[in-house]
Amino acid sequence: MKRDALLASPFFQHMDNEKLDEIIGFAVERRVPRGTSIFGKGDEGSSMMAVLVGRVRISAVSADGKEVTLNVIGAGEIFGEIALLDGKPRSADATAVEDTVLMEIERKHFMPFLLRNPALLERLLVVLCDRLRRTSLVLEEIALFDLPSRLARLLMKLSVDYGSPAPGGGTRIDMKLSQRDLATLVASSRETVNKQLRGWREQGVVDQAAGYLVVRNAAALERMVG
């Protein structure tokens, strides 16, 4: 499972089996229940993590207490690489969105390995650039769009990334997200997101089944995105 998860990652996928086995040899498996903090902003940063199973939310809290989700890390992706590279405290919070299995790699093991493999260093730079682009997009949407547009954009993206056909029509988003999770993803309050979703349910735009959100009218969401 570890090797398959690593090969699913753009960071590790071109690595030969010998190097993969070396990484797996000094990595430690870590299981994190849903809703549990993996690390907090300001914590000592001495490791990088790869998600084997589950999803992790990377978030930050503003001075007025508002939480914003900067990224959601899925199976085959890595996180914590910034603190691993510079050895400084964590720059954000990481929380398990689902029951999650991680492969944790300590800096003291990984840095010598990285320096012996310059091609891997190049791929790490690509991952960092992609992460920066995604974070910039999140901040841009917060600045430029109102809540209905941000929430509609989020639901459309989740439908593409995690969607499956729903009984009765529409697309079920196969990731259980609480209203708090949704609120942090669109930089709003849980109460405001709840009110917006309730209005959309009454209009037949979205629905909820067995704890999963269902997009019933994708065209209506697309019109709100603009």
Side-chain angles (χ1 to χ4, degrees):
M1 182 179 70
K2 292 178 182 177
R3 182 179 289 177
D4 289 344
L6 292 181
L7 288 173
S9 167
F11 183 53
F12 295 106
Q13 64 186 194
H14 300 296
M15 193 177 295
D16 61 46
N17 288 337
E18 184 179 345
K19 289 185 174 64
L20 280 175
D21 289 341
E22 185 177 350
I23 289 177
I24 291 170
F26 57 65
V28 176
E29 187 174 297
R30 179 177 172 188
R31 295 178 179 271
V32 186
R34 179 184 179 183
T36 302
S37 172
I38 298 167
F39 56 71
K41 182 177 180 180
D43 287 355
E44 180 183 353
S46 63
S47 63
M48 179 180 75
M49 301 173 200
V51 179
L52 301 179
V53 177
R55 294 185 180 90
V56 174
R57 181 176 68 241
I58 306 299
S59 61
V61 180
S62 66
D64 61 359
K66 183 180 291 184
E67 186 178 15
V68 178
T69 294
L70 303 174
N71 212 339
V72 176
I73 309 296
E77 294 186 274
I78 63 171
F79 66 100
E81 68 281 355
I82 294 176
L84 177 132
L85 288 174
D86 64 16
K88 294 181 179 179
R90 300 292 186 186
S91 58
D93 301 324
T95 308
V97 177
E98 305 172 352
D99 290 341
T100 297
V101 181
L102 303 173
M103 193 174 73
E104 188 167 9
I105 304 168
E106 288 291 333
R107 186 174 194 269
K108 63 182 179 181
H109 298 304
F110 190 71
M111 289 305 292
F113 177 84
L114 188 63
L115 294 174
R116 294 196 309 271
N117 295 275
L120 188 60
L121 180 58
E122 182 179 346
R123 287 200 293 277
L124 182 56
L125 291 175
V126 171
V127 169
L128 287 170
C129 289
D130 179 66
R131 195 71 46 80
L132 181 59
R133 289 178 187 275
R134 281 195 272 177
T135 300
S136 296
L137 182 61
V138 168
L139 298 177
E140 178 182 319
E141 290 186 351
I142 291 171
L144 297 179
F145 299 101
D146 59 13
L147 172 67
S149 294
R150 297 201 306 273
L151 189 55
R153 282 171 174 267
L154 173 65
L155 295 183
M156 292 301 295
K157 184 177 187 305
L158 292 174
S159 296
V160 171
D161 292 345
Y162 307 109
S164 63
T171 302
R172 190 180 86 160
I173 297 171
D174 291 328
M175 182 198 299
K176 284 195 174 182
L177 293 167
S178 67
Q179 289 182 358
R180 178 180 175 276
D181 291 331
L182 291 171
T184 67
L185 283 163
V186 295
S188 186
S189 68
R190 184 185 61 79
E191 293 77 14
T192 304
V193 168
N194 178 47
K195 181 179 178 181
Q196 184 64 61
L197 289 175
R198 186 168 62 247
W200 285 351
R201 280 196 296 271
E202 292 170 356
Q203 297 165 23
V205 177
V206 300
D207 198 359
Q208 194 157 16
Y212 293 96
L213 276 170
V214 179
V215 175
R216 297 293 187 190
N217 189 341
L221 290 181
E222 288 174 357
R223 287 193 294 272
M224 294 176 212
V225 167

